[in-house]
Amino acid sequence: MAEGVAYWWRGRLHSEREAPPLAVPLRLVKIEAVEWLCPKCGARAEWGPEPRCPRCGARCEPRTLVEEVPELVDAIEALERAFNRACKARVRGAVLLEPFGIFVPLFTWKLLDLELPDGSRLVGVYAGKPRFLKRGFHDGNGSLTSFELPGNLAVIVWSGGVVECLVFEVEEPLKLVELLSG
Ligand SMILES: [Zn+2]
C-alpha cells in the first residue's frame, strides 16, 4: 500500500495499483490504541477496570500500539475525490429532497446502492442537467416554479434518514454513471 494513502471501495481498502477506478482516496491517520495482553500466555483481554486474561485469568498489562486508520470524509467530499480520479469534477451544489425538502426532482435517476466511507449510501445517479420543481411556489401565471442547478451529474445520497441530491460538474458524466453501475 502506498505510504499514507488507501483507496476505499464498497467497504474495503485497496492499494493504488488494485483500486477500482472510482475508489475514494483516503489519507491514513496514525492513532494510538491500547490493548491488554496477558503476560503469561499472550492472550488479549477485553477492556475492563481490571482486565483479566480470558484463558488463564492472570492480570493483563496494557500495551500501546500505533494503528493507521483511514480519515473520515463526508459523502460530498468522498464523491468529488472519487470522480476526480476518473475525470475532472467539481461540486456545484446540494438540494435536500427528503424529509423536509420543498424541491421535487424533474428527472429520473438510475437506482444504485453503493456504500460511502461515512456510512451514507449512494442510491441513485443521473447524467444531465438537474431540474427541480419548487413545491408550493407559483409564478405570475399560476404554474409551479421550477429551477435548474448548474452541473451535469446528480447523485442521490441517503444518510441517516435524510435524502440529498448532490450536483457535480464533471467532464464525462456518462462514463461516471457506467463506472458507478459496475
Ligand atoms: Zn493468560
Side-chain angles (χ1 to χ4, degrees):
M1 208 166 273
E3 179 75 50
V5 180
Y7 291 80
W8 196 100
W9 182 247
R10 292 186 186 272
R12 280 192 52 215
L13 291 175
H14 302 264
S15 69
E16 183 167 15
R17 198 164 36 83
E18 53 160 34
L22 285 188
V24 183
L26 295 177
R27 236 164 14 94
L28 293 174
V29 206
K30 286 193 167 77
I31 57 156
E32 275 194 359
V34 174
E35 65 176 0
W36 292 84
L37 293 177
C38 172
K40 287 181 185 161
C41 67
R44 223 172 126 164
E46 291 299 314
W47 187 87
E50 270 184 34
R52 294 262 172 192
C53 175
R55 255 186 253 156
C56 70
R59 180 168 294 180
C60 291
E61 290 167 357
R63 190 179 72 168
T64 307
L65 57 149
V66 176
E67 276 179 17
E68 281 202 318
V69 295
E71 64 178 321
L72 194 62
V73 296
D74 62 13
I76 201 159
E77 169 79 29
L79 288 169
E80 191 183 22
R81 288 188 196 184
F83 294 165
N84 260 319
R85 290 187 64 221
C87 63
K88 242 179 160 183
R90 206 148 63 94
V91 179
R92 297 310 300 263
V95 165
L96 179 67
L97 299 182
E98 307 265 351
F100 306 114
I102 56 163
F103 303 110
V104 184
L106 288 174
F107 53 91
T108 311
W109 57 82
K110 184 174 183 172
L111 287 176
L112 294 175
D113 185 15
L114 207 71
E115 197 190 339
L116 297 174
D118 68 345
S120 56
R121 302 193 89 86
L122 189 167
V123 293
V125 66
Y126 167 74
K129 264 204 184 319
R131 298 188 70 229
F132 301 86
L133 205 63
K134 225 171 167 181
R135 196 182 279 152
F137 288 79
H138 298 266
D139 63 17
N141 305 316
S143 41
L144 282 164
T145 310
S146 71
F147 83 104
E148 208 169 82
L149 274 185
N152 55 8
L153 187 80
V155 178
I156 314 297
V157 170
W158 177 92
S159 176
V162 172
V163 180
E164 254 190 314
C165 176
L166 312 178
V167 179
F168 297 85
E169 179 80 48
V170 301
E171 233 162 39
E172 296 176 79
L174 291 173
K175 178 181 168 186
L176 289 182
V177 170
E178 198 178 301
L179 288 172
L180 284 169
S181 319

